[in-house]
Amino acid sequence: MMANHLLTGITFGLSLCIISWMVGILGGALLQKTSYFEKLSHLNLIPSKAVNRALGIEQFKWVVKNSFFRFLNQSIRVEGKRTDLASVRHQMTLAEINHLIGFLFVAAAAWYQSFNVSFVFGLGMIIPNVILNAYPSLLQQENKRRIDQLLNRQPRHNEDAALA
């Protein structure tokens, strides 16, 4: 019975995670128009590289880069030196927030189902939620930190022209 609830929870969680991507896109679009978006753009849930490494973010990045997932968000792509990093960072922030909204959506449903069906069913829902919503959000945060380092190293052409 427990194995059945776990497998059913994973299946239901997987389905709900795909729906949560749409919920996240809608929620992110609404949130983008508020003052909270700027505050969330600097969100850093796990600042430690060691913790990210322990969680397996590098392996997750490899999976994303070497599977069909790389085709999902084409606006987050650095093609060379002429890429507008600020625009890429904005798209990463939007994707990160969308995944966080999706994570909270599925987590709330899993919490409800833990009491309604069984704890194991709810726990089964969390497994795909972590893989399909939490890990992408953490990966976006890590990538944003790398882009921030690049942006801080770039000379500010507009400010330099204004000072001259």
Side-chain angles (χ1 to χ4, degrees):
M1 187 71 164
M2 273 179 71
N4 186 29
H5 278 216
L6 182 64
L7 290 175
T8 309
I10 290 171
T11 304
F12 186 68
L14 183 62
S15 302
L16 200 57
C17 282
I18 293 172
I19 292 169
S20 78
W21 292 344
M22 291 176 248
V23 171
I25 289 170
L26 292 173
L30 293 173
L31 196 60
Q32 192 174 7
K33 299 176 194 294
T34 68
S35 62
Y36 295 113
F37 185 80
E38 180 61 31
K39 293 176 186 173
L40 288 174
S41 71
H42 300 291
L43 183 67
N44 202 2
L45 295 174
I46 301 176
S48 169
K49 286 184 180 182
V51 173
N52 276 337
R53 197 172 16 260
L55 289 173
I57 297 296
E58 285 295 319
Q59 290 81 3
F60 183 77
K61 183 191 312 186
W62 184 89
V63 169
V64 169
K65 284 173 41 176
N66 295 300
S67 69
F68 71 93
F69 287 114
R70 72 175 177 257
F71 299 115
L72 290 181
N73 196 344
Q74 293 294 308
S75 61
I76 302 176
R77 185 169 293 253
V78 177
E79 294 291 333
K81 292 184 179 183
R82 296 191 184 263
T83 303
D84 181 14
L85 292 178
S87 174
V88 171
R89 187 190 189 287
H90 176 75
Q91 290 299 322
M92 284 182 174
T93 301
L94 194 53
E96 171 196 354
I97 291 171
N98 292 351
H99 279 292
L100 284 175
I101 291 169
F103 179 81
L104 294 173
F105 174 76
V106 176
W111 179 260
Y112 174 77
Q113 294 293 14
S114 291
F115 294 109
N116 195 31
V117 178
S118 78
F119 176 76
V120 175
F121 186 87
L123 184 64
M125 288 177 64
I126 291 295
I127 294 169
N129 193 26
V130 167
I131 295 168
L132 296 174
N133 280 320
Y135 269 73
S137 187
L138 293 174
L139 180 60
Q140 295 304 340
Q141 286 184 7
E142 182 177 304
N143 289 337
K144 278 189 339 185
R145 285 191 294 270
R146 291 173 46 219
I147 284 185
D148 287 342
Q149 289 174 346
L150 291 173
L151 286 173
N152 289 334
R153 280 191 244 158
Q154 281 184 347
R156 304 201 193 295
H157 298 292
N158 295 341
E159 292 175 6
D160 292 342
L163 293 174

